[in-house]
Amino acid sequence: MKNKSILFILFTCACISANAQLSTSSTVINMGEVAWHSPKTQEITFQNKTHHAVTLTDVKTDCACTSASWQRGQVIDAGEKASILLTIDAQTLGHFKKAVRVYTDYKGKRQMREVWVEGRVVAELTNFDDYPIDLGEEIHLSSNVIEF
């Protein structure tokens, strides 16, 4: 009986560690307020927590309003980081919570890491943290360069 318990514990630890090859600072990323019909991009950084290289094979999002930009086939060496740019272009007002699934190849096995992205779509922004340049008259910009 003791041997079976030890084998069960070792198997459980192996399964957990196999799924934990990529880590993020949080499994839920809060994008805050997102302006309606104004795309907002958030960078999600992953770190390889294994002693072997991991290859990014696919990134899937919940709906058409969410898209991911990433390098297919990118090899993330042990301890190294990689980023995915996630863009939300909300078509409806209100709260949202979307899943982003990152698929990797780790030692020939396909693994999946899920991260949730949440926020609130508003008709008019009230939080201007993403737009630090204040021109007055409630006009805020994210950049001090305007191209024509």
Side-chain angles (χ1 to χ4, degrees):
M1 180 66 179
K2 185 176 181 181
N3 288 339
K4 287 182 182 180
S5 297
I6 291 172
L7 286 175
F8 176 75
I9 291 170
L10 289 175
F11 177 75
T12 304
C13 290
C15 289
I16 291 170
S17 65
N19 285 327
Q21 14 74 17
L22 289 183
S23 70
T24 58
S25 58
S26 176
T27 57
V28 178
I29 310 295
N30 189 337
M31 292 186 78
E33 287 185 346
V34 177
W36 183 46
H37 288 292
S38 295
K40 183 174 181 179
T41 302
Q42 176 78 35
E43 181 178 34
I44 302 173
T45 303
F46 295 90
Q47 183 173 13
N48 180 354
K49 291 291 193 175
T50 69
H51 298 290
H52 303 281
V54 173
T55 304
L56 283 177
T57 57
D58 203 2
V59 177
K60 296 195 184 266
T61 59
D62 264 357
C63 71
C65 67
T66 310
S67 63
S69 176
W70 56 285
Q71 183 181 348
R72 183 178 298 277
Q74 178 181 1
V75 177
I76 309 168
D77 292 322
E80 295 296 314
K81 295 180 179 180
S83 296
I84 294 171
L85 291 177
L86 189 69
T87 302
I88 302 278
D89 188 6
Q91 303 301 311
T92 49
L93 298 172
H95 291 275
F96 65 87
K97 188 169 186 177
K98 307 289 181 190
V100 178
R101 292 173 186 87
V102 179
Y103 294 91
T104 59
D105 181 28
Y106 175 67
K107 292 183 167 183
K109 295 180 183 172
R110 188 173 189 194
Q111 302 289 327
M112 187 263 298
R113 171 78 170 155
E114 188 172 66
V115 176
W116 291 89
V117 179
E118 65 181 12
R120 187 168 62 104
V121 180
V122 294
E124 190 174 308
L125 290 176
T126 57
N127 180 353
F128 296 103
D129 290 344
D130 292 335
Y131 303 93
I133 300 168
D134 184 2
L135 297 180
E137 299 294 322
E138 296 186 18
I139 298 173
H140 297 266
L141 300 175
S142 60
S143 172
N144 60 359
V145 177
I146 300 174
E147 295 182 21
F148 293 96

